Structure formats: C-alpha cells, structure tokens
Amino acid sequence: MNNEVSMEDKTTSNWVDVKEQMSGKALEMFGSWINNIEKLNEEFANACPFPNVVLQQFFVPEMAEKLYQSFPKVTAEHKWILYNNPIERKYALTDFTNLPQFNNLFLALQSSEFVSIIKKISGIENLESDPHLHGAGLHQHAPGGKLDMHLDYSIHPITGKERRVNLIIYLTKDWLDEYEGAIELWNSEFTRCEKKIYPSFNNAVLFRTSDVSYHGLPFPIKCPQDNSRKSIAIYYVSDPRSNTDSVRYKAQFRPLPTQPVNDNLKKLYLVREKRIITKEDLETIYPNWESDGNGYW
C-alpha cells in the first residue's frame, strides 16, 4: 500500500480542518434571515421565472461594512482578471493571498453549517460546496460593464459535479436604478425578462441554475467613474442528475432578442461556448467591436 500523501491531499485536508473549526462561529456574521429558513424555502420554490429568493441584510451590519471597506480596488496589487469584449466586460478576482478577510469569508460560505442552510432553502438535499471555487470569487463591473444573458456551465470541469445554485452577494453602495446593473431573470422561452434584482448593498440573491435559468446584466452600466458594481459569487453543486437535458462545460451566452447580431459577433458567441475570448480573437474576428456596440456595449 502506498502511504504517501500528495501535497494536494494535504492542502485539501488542512482546508477542510480549518473550514470546520471556524464554521460554527462564522454563522454569527450572517443577518437574521438565517432564522427564517422555512419562509425562504417557500419563496424560493414558488418564485418566477425559476426558483430564486433575495436574502436581505445578508451580513450583520458591521461585517458588511468591513467587507465593503476591504473590497480591493482594481490595481496591480491584486490579480484582477479583465474580461473585455462585446459579450462580457468585467473584472474577476480569485486570488485572495493578500485578502485574508475574503479568504475566511469563502471558508465560511463553504462550511457544513452554511451549506446546510442553503440545502434547506433550495430543497436540494445532496448539495455540496465546491472546494475549487470554480468561477466563484469577487466580481466588479465598472462603467460600461455588462454580462450578456446566459446559462451557466452545468458540469464542473474538474469534479464532474453538477452546478445547482448560485449565491451572489452585493457590496455596492450609492446605487441608483438608472445605473443599470440589475441581474435579469428571463423566462424559459427567452422572450422576456420576468424579474430584475438591483445590486442593493448587503443584499444577496440565491437562484437555481438549470437548462432554462437565463440570467445576466445585458445593458452597459452607467454609474459614475468613482463607483462600480461590486459582488461576491459562490456556487454549490451536487452529483449529476440523470435527467439533465444538456451538458455545458462552459457558460452559453446569447444576445437579447432585439439585439442586432452580425457575423463577427456570431463567431465570438461560438468561441465563448468553448473558451474565454482572447485579445487575439477580437483582433482577428472583430477588430472594430468597441465602436460597433449600438448601445449594447
């Protein structure tokens, strides 16, 4: 028998130990919504156009303010990844080396106690956290930022688990509806928006992901230059269901029904189904894209 333990195994073991040690205390950071699980489960199950619920005052006020003050700016000090193309314009951060408060937050959001709460609200008994945090992290949309309507990846590329629910927590202050930035939830036929949820400070939205859970923020953000749409995203998974209609290893984006789509943009949508769009893709496929948005970017 091989008794050697790989570095990855040791890291995973230590991560689990730390997570479980802190999990009970970590629940103290959350607002009073955790005492209304039965009501939230009912709202989630009956929501349109697919199961969703807003969790108001997600953190206790002092925790929310602490995270807001600590939310990193887009500077060279932090490893923000820029997505800048007609389909998605945002910054994403997954490296919390210099951000212990956010590292601890994600440990809390992945603790067994917190996952148990998400299980009860969503009604998915076999829900799990994702130790890889694939696609999760801090997101920031500056003026002009957007995220086209899409279906999320359905199968985790590393673990093979099925992505089941998204939790998005907003740390945006001084936000007006006229700035856009609401997450839009569309019907299964993709003919109309059924619900808009604006990024109100210290609110969160939990929603089911499936083959019909179209969502996004399809219109360019119009906030002042000194502000941005700030959010924390984390996803929960389960063993794959046998009745899943389709398998997606990448998000599947699509334009709004009213949006004009030329051949160049069609090619970019096809690229994005397989991988991230690169600067070289833009130079080759759609070199004049930045001046060709017609209000859609």
Side-chain angles (χ1 to χ4, degrees):
M1 178 181 290
N2 187 346
N3 294 321
E4 292 183 0
V5 179
S6 70
M7 181 60 71
E8 182 177 355
D9 290 337
K10 289 181 180 179
T11 301
T12 302
S13 176
N14 290 340
W15 178 84
V16 171
D17 290 343
V18 171
K19 183 179 71 170
E20 295 306 326
Q21 288 170 11
M22 70 173 293
S23 59
K25 183 179 179 181
L27 291 184
E28 298 175 1
M29 72 173 67
F30 302 110
S32 60
W33 62 269
I34 64 172
N35 300 317
N36 299 307
I37 301 303
E38 185 175 347
K39 179 183 177 184
L40 293 172
N41 168 257
E42 183 179 351
E43 290 181 16
F44 182 88
N46 295 320
C48 290
F50 46 83
N52 70 87
V53 66
V54 173
L55 307 175
Q56 297 185 350
Q57 298 301 299
F58 187 79
F59 298 113
V60 294
E62 56 270 26
M63 182 66 181
E65 186 62 29
K66 179 180 179 182
L67 290 171
Y68 173 77
Q69 294 296 337
S70 303
F71 203 94
K73 297 183 183 300
V74 179
T75 64
E77 179 184 359
H78 304 290
K79 299 178 181 179
W80 286 98
I81 300 168
L82 172 62
Y83 296 78
N84 187 31
N85 58 71
I87 297 172
E88 50 192 334
R89 304 185 79 172
K90 68 177 184 179
Y91 293 92
L93 182 65
T94 57
D95 185 342
F96 308 123
T97 303
N98 299 320
L99 298 165
Q101 60 276 52
F102 285 101
N103 186 62
N104 290 337
L105 171 61
F106 277 97
L107 290 176
L109 294 174
Q110 291 179 292
S111 68
S112 60
E113 283 83 355
F114 188 81
V115 173
S116 179
I117 291 172
I118 301 301
K119 286 181 182 179
K120 293 174 183 176
I121 296 176
S122 67
I124 303 173
E125 296 182 358
N126 63 338
L127 208 62
E128 307 172 21
S129 62
D130 169 24
H132 300 279
L133 289 174
H134 183 70
L138 306 186
H139 296 159
Q140 193 162 180
H141 292 80
K146 63 169 293 187
L147 184 67
D148 269 6
M149 302 301 299
H150 62 283
L151 298 175
D152 292 316
Y153 71 81
S154 61
I155 299 298
H156 197 292
I158 301 172
T159 65
K161 299 284 186 177
E162 182 182 356
R163 182 165 164 177
R164 301 298 302 281
V165 294
N166 293 357
L167 176 64
I168 303 175
I169 310 158
Y170 298 113
L171 289 179
T172 307
K173 281 192 175 183
D174 305 319
W175 200 263
L176 302 178
D177 291 357
E178 63 196 58
Y179 296 163
E180 299 289 357
I183 185 170
E184 297 193 4
L185 310 182
W186 280 52
N187 63 354
S188 59
E189 296 81 15
F190 198 66
T191 57
R192 66 180 181 274
C193 175
E194 295 278 5
K195 188 173 186 177
K196 287 186 177 184
I197 302 169
Y198 284 90
S200 300
F201 178 69
N202 199 24
N203 280 0
V205 58
L206 179 75
F207 62 93
R208 180 84 62 86
T209 59
S210 69
D211 294 330
V212 294
S213 58
Y214 291 103
H215 61 282
L217 40 142
F219 296 104
I221 285 175
K222 302 173 183 177
C223 68
Q225 290 294 326
D226 60 352
N227 200 356
S228 64
R229 182 186 188 274
K230 304 173 182 70
S231 60
I232 301 166
I234 187 168
Y235 316 120
Y236 298 90
V237 300
S238 73
D239 288 333
R241 296 169 295 165
S242 58
N243 61 345
T244 302
D245 291 338
S246 61
V247 172
R248 295 178 304 280
Y249 291 98
K250 293 290 184 182
Q252 186 179 88
F253 289 85
R254 61 190 303 176
L256 293 173
T258 56
Q259 181 177 346
V261 179
N262 59 33
D263 290 341
N264 295 334
L265 187 54
K266 286 180 183 178
K267 290 177 183 178
L268 290 181
Y269 279 114
L270 291 174
V271 169
R272 188 60 181 85
E273 287 184 7
K274 299 177 181 179
R275 57 175 173 79
I276 300 299
I277 295 171
T278 66
K279 183 178 180 180
E280 290 71 26
D281 291 327
L282 295 171
E283 292 173 348
T284 303
I285 298 172
Y286 203 169
N288 66 323
W289 71 272
E290 289 189 275
S291 61
D292 201 31
N294 297 311
Y296 289 95
W297 64 79

